[in-house]
Amino acid sequence: MAENSSHPEQEIEQLKQRIRQYNHEYYVMDTPSVPDAEYDRLMQRLMALETEHPKLKTSDSPSQKVGGAPLSAFEQVTHEVPMLSLDNAFDDEALLAFEKRIKDRLKESAAIAFSCEPKLDGLAVSLLYEDGELVRAATRGDGQVGENITQNVKTIANIPLRLKGEDIPRRVEIRGEVFMPKAGFEKLNQRQKEQGAKIFANPRNAAAGSLRQLDSKITAKRPLMFYTYSLGLVTPDDFSLPDTHSERLALVASWGMPLCPEVDTATDGNGCLAYYQKILGMRDALAYDIDGVVFKVNSVDRQERLGFVARAPRWAIAQKFPAQEEVTVLEDVEFQV
Ligand code: NAD
């Protein structure tokens, strides 16, 4: 597709069509046909054109939307608090520009602290606990409506069926990522190969395909894990929670929820850049795949003042790592429903 097109309207339409098709392949079918880096390039181009020509930006553009429609084979779950995506930074300058935007919007000149977290390459999941018991699990879907995958999630060994502790909210939604550790992925593919079954392209697709099975006995055989990264709905509204995101993660961990050991905090944007380098250096040695790191303004009060745009919070950003695999093996991905 020609860039710097003299027909922006036409280029935008073509980009939207291609991105919609790739979204369907990735989110609905779990069978991407292009590498993530190519998808990201097209999305960046679409966003640049929409910024340059604001009149051509429509609310149905994929740049304004989260994920894909839930599969009709599953019961649908409406998220009481929408599950959004994340904005991306592809280099250090973009990360520092994010920090500056935040300070400008908050009209604060002092350093802003961040929660720093690996960007786990799996599937976003919402877990609802009532009176401490896991009663519902759902995928993100299109951010408003996801798929009910409660039976499948109950087979994941490190997700507690019951929270521990005396002082927990009556209803609490815990969000995080379901993923397949690298070793489990290799073993699964080895087993699939021995059995003449289909080979998975990468741990992300294996996790997504395994979680969105109609038969939870199949999910039970798959080596899935979960790490918590945020709180959704909390009832009652006046339940006393700490003021920072990192303390809230620690609280959720004290209820027995698994937390990624690499989460940390930084006192400012430069601290975030140091964390990025540290995690990038550890990437190959980590037991699970990551495609970047996520920075979140640590103060929940500041998060609330910053709010959201169409598909992502203003108070968080994903700084992506350089692409590792450029080509996704298409025919090797399992078709799960
Ligand atoms: P995203 O992956 O860019 O970021 C949001 C997601 O990050 C969350 O929903 C959550 O699942 C995950 N996440 C992991 N660790 C997290 C943490 N610590 N805190 C918060 N969230 C965390 O979002 P997206 O909208 O799901 O996907 C967009 C990306 O997916 C693209 O940039 C591209 O890489 C890939 N994609 C690829 C294709 C393709 O055809 N190859 C198609 C669609 C999307």
Side-chain angles (χ1 to χ4, degrees), residues 19 21-27 31-37 39-40 65-67 83-88 90 117-125 140 176-177 204 228-230 245 263 291 293-294 296 311 318 320 328:
I19 293 173
Q21 181 201 328
Y22 296 152
N23 279 347
H24 184 78
E25 292 168 355
Y26 183 89
Y27 293 116
T31 55
S33 65
V34 289
D36 289 353
Y39 176 91
D40 289 342
K65 296 208 170 273
V66 175
M83 291 184 80
L84 298 180
S85 184
L86 290 167
D87 276 344
N88 289 314
F90 290 95
E117 304 163 22
K119 184 166 184 294
L120 307 156
D121 205 5
L123 209 63
V125 166
R140 184 183 67 172
E177 196 87 344
R204 193 262 163 208
T228 305
Y229 54 64
S230 71
H245 177 78
V263 297
D291 60 343
V293 288
V294 184
K296 300 171 184 169
R311 64 186 290 280
K320 293 275 188 114
T328 309

Side-chain angles (χ1 to χ4, degrees), residues 164-236:
K164 61 177 191 198
E166 299 295 301
D167 192 23
I168 45 174
R170 192 166 51 74
R171 274 182 101 215
V172 58
E173 184 200 357
I174 295 169
R175 292 177 175 182
E177 196 87 344
V178 168
F179 59 97
M180 190 175 287
K182 291 176 193 168
F185 168 72
E186 298 298 337
K187 264 195 215 147
L188 172 64
N189 261 354
Q190 187 57 37
R191 206 166 67 213
Q192 297 283 102
K193 199 170 156 192
E194 282 159 15
Q195 294 172 353
K198 288 178 181 172
I199 307 294
F200 296 98
N202 56 48
R204 193 262 163 208
N205 288 319
S210 300
L211 198 56
R212 298 164 79 226
Q213 288 283 342
L214 293 178
D215 179 358
S216 57
K217 287 201 230 45
I218 299 178
T219 311
K221 291 185 193 143
R222 300 285 167 81
L224 296 173
M225 273 185 72
F226 175 84
Y227 278 148
T228 305
Y229 54 64
S230 71
L231 272 175
L233 183 88
V234 178
T235 313

